[in-house]
Amino acid sequence: MSPQSKLLAGVELGGTKCVCILGTGPDDVRAVERLPTAEREATLRQVEAVLERWRAQFGAPRALGIASFGPVDLKPGSPTWGFITSTSKLGWRDTDVAQRLGRRLGVPVGLDTDVNGAALAEGRWGAARGLDDYAYVTVGTGIGVGSIVRGRSIFGMNHTELGHIRVARVTGDTFAGVCPYHGDCIEGLASGPAIEARAGKPAAQLPPDHPAWDFVVHGLAQLMHTMVLTTAPTRIFLGGGVMSAQSHLFERIQQELKRSLNSYVFAPELDQGLAQFIVPPGLGTMSGPLGALALAADADNHAAKPLASFANASR
Amino acid sequence: MSPQSKLLAGVELGGTKCVCILGTGPDDVRAVERLPTAEREATLRQVEAVLERWRAQFGAPRALGIASFGPVDLKPGSPTWGFITSTSKLGWRDTDVAQRLGRRLGVPVGLDTDVNGAALAEGRWGAARGLDDYAYVTVGTGIGVGSIVRGRSIFGMNHTELGHIRVARVTGDTFAGVCPYHGDCIEGLASGPAIEARAGKPAAQLPPDHPAWDFVVHGLAQLMHTMVLTTAPTRIFLGGGVMSAQSHLFERIQQELKRSLNSYVFAPELDQGLAQFIVPPGLGTMSGPLGALALAADADNHAAKPLASFANASR
């Protein structure tokens, strides 16, 4: 296949695994490879090897999309654009990902956080089709939120990081939380590791009536109270390992959110539409890798216009 | 003057006063009138009388901008578009403001919250010129936040309302808060009435070393911690009656924010640029009325395009 291939390459760089993907969308995935996210140099070399093997087999992709765990420097023109910065993941601080992979492949690079990528993929191909303002939340080894405003992820000072907001606590709860940066931010209170630290066993093993869920429901409802009032999503897609194993949480979070907002916000989404307001995502475990493809498609579209440059392809 | 006048009319509808304004911008204000925000029917009649007097004197304005306290229904096509909805202001629930005033003047209407209007005015004429992503915060009889993302206010399910997020509390603090909807949301904890309820006298009379400020600083820093992680403003403009009377609060809030974020976010704004990150607004007491003019200008521009309609002029 020639370099004029329509194919796009994507890398979802997650905290525990990397998924490399080649294709144009969910109905046209040519190849997928999963690797553990281990020591950074070894991991990035493995990713490069996959991408180069695909290039030899299928031709050069039109663009590369990277959906990465964060925080990552997304500022156009920054010397460390595309670097993972102050992550709590050991050994990955100040690691160049996007400049390196872009140089290696020699194609335009689209870059965003893993959750922003997943949110965009849900909008293009999944459960958020037709929506302009919505959010994707994952509750698993961490808590991440991708907020889409008018069809695009938010980018100002840098990308958003709602998993690390501090929320109102249940009165009298003194659990210190597990976030190495913030202790009892929402990730520190309600992620999988936080639930395990509080309950003494993994979240997947807890029955629906375990008291640890009360704190998780309260914390996630507070996160969503904040989301409703700060970015006003018309729907929230709530996924990740903790949620998919504990479907009883959806209705409890909906009810706790309603109680917390106390009829202050005028919106049918919070009234008769509540059961449709907080729902599972549509692409399942493929939302992350497809997010990387969506970012590649955007980078390809940007590169087709004059004045687009490598460093701002993802804006 | 003919109906082809360039003049725009604006109404800032605040919780304690209404400001009517006629002009095209800060260097061309033809008339300003202030009225107390009293019983709704009497107040709206007074506003109508001012606007009609100006129309007789100056000709019909090209458009009307309304920057209103909220919550207000901004949803295009909603039968109650332009109504104030679940406000805590007595006697103003479910009050048609924008449809009524628009019909009366027979011109396009631009509508947003008072703080979104003020934020847009700061971007067009004030201290936020040249910025695309920033926020305007007012701390006075209430707490309001206008968040601008890519040059526009956020609108999804409805407008945003950050004054009513619940924040992490100072450990052991049991003050119930004064918000009739949420008790200890940030407005309930750190607005002027909250400070007075806690300290026993008005905020303006408290010395800088009064212990009540510790709670205000903590609460406002938590609000800004959340803002940094949810809409990522490149600068925060912090004004309102409480802030303008207590300038010592700026540095304290900056330091508490830095402590709370704990170097997690990669951005020069939070490091060497911290003193320039949280600053007073540039238009002073005129940011609200000029916000109404900015909304009128936007409505006029929308109306000049085909397919624009009354109900979505403010989007």
Side-chain angles (χ1 to χ4, degrees):
Chain A
M1 198 173 278
S2 78
Q4 272 67 47
S5 156
K6 283 184 177 172
L7 289 178
L8 303 163
V11 177
E12 182 200 14
L13 181 57
T16 53
K17 66 176 193 309
C18 287
V19 184
C20 303
I21 184 169
L22 188 76
T24 60
D27 300 327
D28 176 32
V29 175
R30 306 288 178 91
V32 176
E33 294 219 14
R34 292 181 173 76
L35 314 162
T37 306
E39 186 275 321
R40 62 182 176 182
E41 184 58 32
T43 304
L44 290 171
R45 281 191 191 170
Q46 283 188 284
V47 169
E48 287 171 334
V50 170
L51 295 175
E52 293 192 336
R53 181 154 39 80
W54 286 348
R55 181 166 59 181
Q57 190 178 350
F58 297 97
R62 296 184 61 87
L64 172 66
I66 302 172
S68 176
F69 69 85
V72 54
D73 181 2
L74 298 183
K75 193 163 235 163
S78 165
T80 54
W81 178 87
F83 281 51
I84 288 169
T85 59
S86 51
T87 180
S88 48
K89 187 166 171 58
L90 218 68
W92 279 81
R93 275 191 82 124
D94 304 322
T95 300
D96 174 16
V97 174
Q99 290 192 31
R100 170 180 176 157
L101 295 180
R103 268 197 307 269
R104 192 69 168 246
L105 279 192
V107 297
V109 176
L111 172 67
D112 210 329
T113 63
D114 46 2
V115 280
N116 280 344
L120 292 170
E122 288 289 339
R124 205 156 302 178
W125 300 302
R129 271 177 291 186
L131 301 182
D132 287 329
D133 300 274
Y134 61 94
Y136 170 92
V137 180
T138 176
V139 183
T141 51
I143 292 182
V145 179
S147 298
I148 303 299
V149 170
R150 295 193 169 95
R152 299 174 69 184
S153 59
I154 294 175
F155 181 91
M157 167 198 290
N158 209 328
H159 60 79
T160 65
E161 275 280 353
L162 278 80
H164 292 269
I165 66 170
R166 298 179 193 277
V167 296
R169 300 286 302 266
V170 174
T171 306
D173 179 33
T174 58
F175 175 54
V178 302
C179 174
Y181 283 88
H182 308 115
D184 63 350
C185 64
I186 184 62
E187 178 167 303
L189 285 177
S191 61
I195 298 166
E196 184 165 351
R198 194 193 281 272
K201 51 184 167 179
Q205 295 174 20
L206 302 183
D209 62 351
H210 193 284
W213 295 124
D214 295 347
F215 299 102
V216 173
V217 165
H218 183 272
L220 293 176
Q222 287 305 308
L223 169 64
M224 289 174 195
H225 177 123
T226 298
M227 290 167 65
V228 164
L229 298 177
T230 52
T231 59
T234 55
R235 204 167 303 158
I236 295 174
F237 300 93
L238 177 56
V242 170
M243 292 306 303
S244 55
Q246 302 279 351
S247 60
H248 62 95
L249 293 175
F250 281 88
E251 196 187 338
R252 294 180 64 185
I253 293 168
Q254 288 159 3
Q255 293 306 320
E256 178 63 22
L257 172 64
K258 191 177 171 78
R259 198 199 58 74
S260 181
L261 288 168
N262 194 21
S263 303
Y264 183 72
V265 178
F266 178 82
E269 287 88 345
L270 298 172
D271 197 3
Q272 67 273 29
L274 191 63
Q276 283 78 51
F277 179 58
I278 303 174
V279 296
L283 299 171
T285 57
M286 286 301 283
S287 64
L290 289 171
L293 278 196
L295 296 170
D298 290 350
D300 183 38
N301 288 337
H302 275 268
K305 293 179 197 158
L307 294 177
S309 73
F310 172 82
N312 64 16
S314 67
R315 283 213 76 184
Chain B
M1 199 172 278
S2 78
Q4 272 67 48
S5 157
K6 283 184 176 172
L7 289 179
L8 302 163
V11 177
E12 182 200 13
L13 180 58
T16 53
K17 66 175 194 308
C18 286
V19 185
C20 302
I21 184 169
L22 189 76
T24 60
D27 300 328
D28 176 32
V29 174
R30 306 289 176 91
V32 176
E33 294 218 14
R34 290 182 174 75
L35 316 160
T37 305
E39 187 275 321
R40 62 183 177 179
E41 184 57 32
T43 304
L44 290 171
R45 281 192 191 170
Q46 282 188 287
V47 169
E48 288 172 333
V50 170
L51 295 174
E52 293 192 336
R53 181 154 38 80
W54 286 348
R55 179 167 60 181
Q57 190 178 351
F58 297 97
R62 295 184 61 87
L64 171 66
I66 302 172
S68 176
F69 69 85
V72 54
D73 181 1
L74 299 183
K75 192 162 236 162
S78 166
T80 53
W81 178 88
F83 281 51
I84 288 170
T85 58
S86 52
T87 180
S88 47
K89 187 164 172 59
L90 218 67
W92 278 81
R93 276 190 83 123
D94 304 320
T95 301
D96 174 18
V97 173
Q99 291 192 31
R100 171 180 175 156
L101 295 180
R103 268 196 308 269
R104 192 68 169 245
L105 279 192
V107 297
V109 176
L111 171 67
D112 209 330
T113 63
D114 47 1
V115 281
N116 280 344
L120 291 170
E122 289 289 340
R124 205 157 301 179
W125 299 303
R129 272 178 291 185
L131 301 182
D132 286 329
D133 300 275
Y134 61 93
Y136 170 93
V137 180
T138 177
V139 183
T141 50
I143 292 183
V145 179
S147 297
I148 304 298
V149 170
R150 294 194 170 94
R152 299 173 70 185
S153 58
I154 294 174
F155 181 90
M157 168 199 288
N158 208 328
H159 60 78
T160 65
E161 276 279 353
L162 278 82
H164 292 269
I165 67 170
R166 299 180 192 275
V167 296
R169 299 286 302 264
V170 174
T171 307
D173 179 32
T174 58
F175 175 56
V178 302
C179 173
Y181 283 87
H182 308 115
D184 63 350
C185 64
I186 185 62
E187 178 168 303
L189 285 176
S191 61
I195 298 166
E196 183 165 352
R198 194 192 278 274
K201 51 183 167 179
Q205 295 174 21
L206 301 184
D209 62 352
H210 192 286
W213 295 124
D214 295 345
F215 299 102
V216 173
V217 165
H218 183 272
L220 293 177
Q222 287 306 308
L223 170 64
M224 288 174 197
H225 177 123
T226 298
M227 290 167 65
V228 165
L229 297 177
T230 52
T231 59
T234 55
R235 205 166 301 159
I236 295 174
F237 300 93
L238 178 55
V242 169
M243 293 305 304
S244 56
Q246 303 278 352
S247 60
H248 62 96
L249 293 175
F250 280 88
E251 197 187 338
R252 294 180 64 184
I253 293 168
Q254 287 159 3
Q255 293 307 319
E256 178 63 20
L257 172 64
K258 190 178 172 78
R259 197 198 59 73
S260 180
L261 287 169
N262 195 21
S263 303
Y264 183 72
V265 178
F266 178 83
E269 287 87 345
L270 298 172
D271 196 4
Q272 68 273 29
L274 191 64
Q276 283 76 52
F277 178 59
I278 303 173
V279 296
L283 299 171
T285 56
M286 284 302 281
S287 65
L290 288 171
L293 277 196
L295 295 169
D298 289 350
D300 183 38
N301 288 336
H302 275 267
K305 293 178 198 158
L307 295 177
S309 74
F310 171 82
N312 65 16
S314 68
R315 284 211 76 184

